[in-house]
Amino acid sequence: MKLLEDRILQEGVVLNNSILKVDSFLNYQIDMKVLKAVAHFIAQHFQNVDKVITIEASGIAFAVAVAMELGDVPIVFAKKSKTTVTASDHNYSYTVHSFTHNTDNNIYIAQDFLKPGERVLIVDDFLAAGESSVGLIKMCLQAKAIPLGVAVACEKEMQGGRKRIEELGVKVCACARITGFTNNRPIFSKEEC
């Protein structure tokens, strides 16, 4: 998606040819023009979605925008910790590793909100090693829901997340696909989605 790639080139900061910071328009501060364009792009690649899911927190804005673009389908987000409300045993759960924070998190979705047969689209801001997305796919499978795909604003292909997800038989769609970095500049894939 040219709009997002251009913004990454203009405002993104690459550190040590490995870390991409897009704080000013994709993470801490979200540019609404970019958010709307990402949601529209993703919605063009998926049909018949019953529900959108994500993990709290930075993927929520993208998941909400995509859900609205898909015709106001419900959105559910996995919680990273149990609360008094989610403390029951009626949750799907999975442990995912966060490379950003270097921690393992148990994530939870209440069984009431993920049902057998539902066609689910997983949405997030970034895809790198795929831990979060694989965790959400596994939770869908626990629920006997159908994971239609994983859709993200930005992907760092060289970290292998796409391969892990596709090995599970799930489609991946990324608005900006980064295949690597050279001289602290991203190299984008020529392939769409």
Side-chain angles (χ1 to χ4, degrees):
M1 190 178 99
K2 185 163 176 19
L3 171 72
L4 183 54
E5 291 175 359
D6 288 347
R7 286 297 291 275
I8 291 169
L9 290 172
Q10 292 165 5
E11 295 180 45
V13 176
V14 179
L15 305 173
N16 300 320
N17 276 328
S18 63
I19 298 170
L20 173 63
K21 292 181 61 169
V22 287
D23 304 9
S24 66
F25 62 94
L26 205 63
N27 291 117
Y28 291 100
Q29 176 173 277
I30 300 172
D31 181 302
M32 295 309 292
K33 183 176 179 183
V34 171
L35 180 67
K36 288 176 185 176
V38 164
H40 182 73
F41 181 89
I42 290 170
Q44 290 178 334
H45 290 87
F46 295 94
Q47 291 83 39
N48 301 315
V49 175
D50 295 319
K51 194 164 281 181
V52 170
I53 64 173
T54 193
I55 294 180
E56 63 180 356
S58 60
I60 292 175
F62 293 92
V64 169
V66 170
M68 291 172 66
E69 189 74 24
L70 288 169
D72 298 327
V73 300
I75 173 177
V76 173
F77 58 93
K79 300 236 182 216
K80 290 183 182 173
S81 61
K82 283 190 175 183
T83 65
T84 54
V85 176
T86 61
S88 77
D89 292 331
H90 302 293
N91 295 299
Y92 299 110
S93 65
Y94 198 80
T95 303
V96 297
H97 182 76
S98 168
F99 289 98
T100 306
H101 301 287
N102 196 26
T103 58
D104 289 333
N105 295 303
N106 291 322
I107 57 172
Y108 306 91
I109 293 179
Q111 290 178 1
D112 290 342
F113 304 124
L114 192 55
K115 300 289 187 187
E118 286 184 318
R119 296 175 310 267
V120 176
L121 178 60
I122 297 162
V123 175
D124 211 344
D125 59 341
F126 260 88
L127 172 62
E131 285 287 316
S132 297
S133 296
V134 168
L136 291 173
I137 291 166
K138 298 286 188 174
M139 292 169 77
C140 286
L141 298 176
Q142 287 175 32
K144 296 183 175 50
I146 303 160
L148 295 176
V150 171
V152 296
C154 190
E155 174 188 5
K156 292 180 6 183
E157 281 186 21
M158 62 283 192
Q159 290 188 260
R162 176 179 289 264
K163 183 175 187 239
R164 290 181 66 200
I165 293 163
E166 288 177 341
E167 285 174 351
L168 294 170
V170 178
K171 174 183 173 179
V172 178
C173 182
C175 298
R177 294 174 65 177
I178 298 170
T179 60
F181 299 102
T182 301
N183 298 323
N184 285 326
R185 296 205 27 104
I187 301 164
F188 295 104
S189 172
K190 301 289 185 219
E191 296 179 47
E192 183 180 90
C193 214

